[in-house]
Amino acid sequence: MTRASLDKQPHEVASMFDDVAANYDLTNDVLSLGQARLWRKEVAKAVGARPAQKILDLAAGTATSSLPFAQTGAYVVPCDFSIGMLQVGKQRHPYLPLTAGDATKLPFRDSVFDAVTISFGLRNVQETDAALRELYRVTKPGGRVVICEFSQPTWAPFRTVYTEYLMRALPPVATAVSSNPDAYVYLAESIRAWPDQPALAARLQQAGWADVAWRNLTGGIVALHRGFKPTD
């Protein structure tokens, strides 16, 4: 299995990420022209982790995204369904409690986490709405969700250029830096097929999240969505 299809069969997606695990973080830095690190910083600010809080970092991959939360003194659980990614993450960060788990059937009790977050992983889940409901289930009342995901650039001319980059420039760049360039063709296709900012906000609300809002990063290439679990 070299890539997944847009019906996002879990075994296909997991196998694809297993294949690219070793160089995944480096490849992302190259393909995003260095923006990936800036996006991670913005996620950390939005989550606002504090000492002793419990944070779920879903689709954490190699746990690079989990490090800013751990550095605040929070207890962060990196969770992913790619065993290959988790193995690489455990080698690099043996002190973190990396956990295998399916976003639609999380292996955690109800109302455990003060905050839940997922970066660049929600669009790879076969059942998006089920994942949003699961994140809601494991969050404490009053807790928060932060979703960082590729979205739709807000300026039409830039949106056209961006789409051209995704489908034409990204595959040859991925060929140069990735062990599995076909995987990045799938990623480009999944970005193009993903809902825009208002559509994702509506799905969060349908899953029960309140006070949903979003903020665009890099002209809307990426959007940060945030919501809260009601205390009632």
Side-chain angles (χ1 to χ4, degrees), residues 61-78:
T62 61
T64 297
S65 59
S66 303
L67 298 180
F69 310 129
Q71 290 164 358
T72 68
Y75 179 78
V76 57
V77 178

Side-chain angles (χ1 to χ4, degrees), residues 79-153:
C79 182
D80 203 284
F81 72 158
S82 166
I83 301 301
M85 288 285 223
L86 293 171
Q87 288 173 336
V88 172
K90 197 63 178 178
Q91 291 170 359
R92 296 176 182 173
H93 317 294
Y95 55 91
L96 291 177
L98 286 91
T99 303
D102 182 338
T104 64
K105 299 176 183 177
L106 292 173
F108 308 110
R109 292 182 292 106
D110 295 355
S111 304
V112 173
F113 295 99
D114 296 283
V116 294
T117 183
I118 179 169
S119 294
F120 307 112
L122 188 61
R123 76 180 189 287
N124 296 320
V125 178
Q126 187 178 33
E127 298 178 45
T128 302
D129 296 324
L132 293 176
R133 290 192 298 269
E134 273 292 271
L135 286 171
Y136 184 89
R137 179 184 67 78
V138 302
T139 303
K140 295 178 181 178
R144 56 208 179 275
V145 63
V146 174
I147 297 173
C148 182
E149 188 53 89
F150 289 109
S151 198
Q152 300 296 322

Side-chain angles (χ1 to χ4, degrees), residues 23-40 150 162 165-166 169-179 184 221:
N23 296 316
Y24 183 72
D25 294 323
L26 173 62
T27 304
N28 282 352
D29 281 341
V30 172
L31 294 179
S32 69
L33 306 178
Q35 292 294 298
R37 297 185 183 190
L38 299 176
W39 297 334
R40 281 197 294 270
F150 289 109
Y162 173 64
Y165 168 74
L166 280 178
L170 190 149
V173 173
T175 299
V177 299
S178 173
S179 58
Y184 288 87
I221 286 179

Side-chain angles (χ1 to χ4, degrees), residues 34-63:
Q35 292 294 298
R37 297 185 183 190
L38 299 176
W39 297 334
R40 281 197 294 270
K41 289 181 180 179
E42 293 302 319
V43 170
K45 291 179 185 177
V47 170
R50 298 191 297 276
Q53 286 191 330
K54 294 182 176 69
I55 311 295
L56 172 61
D57 186 14
L58 187 56
T62 61

